[in-house]
Amino acid sequence: CSRKDRCERAEEPQRFTTRVEQCVQLAVQPDTVSVTMSEVQLVLQMQNVPSLSAGVNCSFEDYVETEGRIYGGRIFCLSPSTKEVAPITRDQGDQRVIKLYLKSKETGKKFASVNLVFYNCSVHQSCLSCVNGNFPCHWCKYRHMCTQDASDCSFQEGRVNTSEECPQILPSTQIYIPAGVMRPITLLAQNLPQPQSGQRNYECIFYIQGNTHSVPALRFNSTSIQCQKTTYDYEGSDISDLPVDLSVVWNGNFVIDNPFNIQG
């Protein structure tokens, strides 16, 4: 920012402006890039840009700088490699927004910027979290993982893209578990996967007064599961009823979504 008489080559087109609408404007496509995608071609549309005959680089904040190619009034540059993206997105959750700068080779100065988002599907640990996010993530229900690449899923029927397709426990009539009485508990559900060869069966996990109780469960079909007969006890004779958190897991640690927080 300076006075015109101190701005070098201020008389040349777009080198100096006093109005905000004449400032350099940028847009980038795509404006989101998965952390698993390496060296993606980015296309920057620009307005009010002075001559770039000396060349330009694309600078991803202070992390990485790549060559910009100017063609047909647009700038083409590659996003960082997956190895270079790792420190940018580490411990940042499912997204990191950074500034993508244009850097003049003539002056060495960054003169315009636009937001670019790196997103990470793999941080999502549940189907609903995965598919309800802001990015094009897929849930592999037989691998219990969230991924940007649909081909990572073992087979097509194991790929989930909408919340309606997610395996989850559904509300049913109130579940009452008499203390000290052996009885099974049947839960309603939808889209429960059938364990494949080598995968472990279902279990119900009850959390009672700080203790964890695991009970074998029987999957009747994709919409019903039964926690097998066992007894449940809690301490405190003055407590008439005690809400109990429960979760349904399969293959050891694949947790089925419980969006309604169904309790015993």
Side-chain angles (χ1 to χ4, degrees):
C1 185
S2 75
R3 288 166 32 187
K4 187 172 183 178
D5 60 358
R6 295 185 178 180
C7 181
E8 187 177 346
R9 297 161 60 188
E11 300 302 328
E12 296 182 18
Q14 312 291 353
R15 300 282 297 201
F16 184 83
T17 182
T18 57
R19 302 203 308 269
V20 67
E21 63 268 22
Q22 292 181 336
C23 289
V24 177
Q25 298 179 36
L26 291 180
V28 61
Q29 286 296 326
D31 56 4
T32 60
V33 178
S34 169
V35 298
T36 62
M37 300 169 68
S38 189
E39 298 182 332
V40 175
Q41 180 73 77
L42 303 175
V43 182
L44 290 97
Q45 300 276 6
M46 49 192 178
Q47 294 181 13
N48 306 323
V49 176
S51 171
L52 298 176
S53 57
V56 66
N57 283 337
C58 296
S59 178
F60 300 84
E61 293 192 354
D62 294 323
Y63 294 101
V64 183
E65 197 167 295
T66 62
E67 180 84 14
R69 294 182 297 105
I70 304 167
Y71 183 78
R74 298 183 295 178
I75 297 174
F76 298 80
C77 58
L78 297 178
S79 70
S81 68
T82 52
K83 183 178 179 179
E84 293 167 327
V85 167
I88 300 175
T89 58
R90 186 177 294 120
D91 301 323
Q92 295 294 319
D94 73 342
Q95 64 176 296
R96 170 76 190 278
V97 182
I98 70 165
K99 291 290 185 183
L100 167 55
Y101 293 96
L102 288 184
K103 186 176 179 180
S104 169
K105 288 187 177 181
E106 174 192 339
T107 64
K109 299 286 188 181
K110 298 172 182 175
F111 63 91
S113 68
V114 64
N115 284 344
L116 179 68
V117 180
F118 290 103
Y119 66 93
N120 186 356
C121 295
S122 68
V123 303
H124 294 285
Q125 300 299 306
S126 76
C127 182
L128 290 172
S129 170
C130 176
V131 301
N132 286 336
N134 297 319
F135 306 104
C137 299
H138 309 271
W139 180 255
C140 304
K141 66 181 180 181
Y142 291 105
R143 298 185 65 188
H144 204 76
M145 60 178 279
C146 188
T147 178
Q148 173 271 332
D149 186 355
S151 66
D152 286 340
C153 297
S154 303
F155 29 84
Q156 188 167 347
E157 57 267 33
R159 186 190 313 156
V160 176
N161 296 306
T162 67
S163 57
E164 291 77 17
E165 298 173 313
C166 280
Q168 55 193 285
I169 306 301
L170 299 178
S172 56
T173 57
Q174 183 67 43
I175 302 170
Y176 290 105
I177 308 171
V181 177
M182 183 171 290
R183 59 163 290 186
I185 300 167
T186 301
L187 302 171
L188 296 182
Q190 66 182 32
N191 307 313
L192 293 178
Q194 173 67 53
Q196 303 298 293
S197 176
Q199 293 184 317
R200 292 164 58 184
N201 287 323
Y202 282 84
E203 300 171 83
C204 297
I205 311 294
F206 295 88
Y207 306 93
I208 304 174
Q209 295 181 321
N211 296 314
T212 301
H213 302 268
S214 176
V215 180
L218 177 64
R219 176 189 180 274
F220 291 135
N221 50 47
S222 64
T223 63
S224 181
I225 188 170
Q226 185 179 82
C227 310
Q228 296 299 281
K229 288 183 180 181
T230 191
T231 59
Y232 306 90
D233 290 291
Y234 61 87
E235 296 179 3
S237 57
D238 57 335
I239 303 175
S240 62
D241 58 77
L242 180 72
V244 172
D245 289 328
L246 69 88
S247 60
V248 174
V249 303
W250 67 289
N251 199 37
N253 59 359
F254 290 3
V255 180
I256 299 295
D257 278 313
N258 185 2
F260 301 97
N261 192 29
I262 306 302
Q263 294 180 308

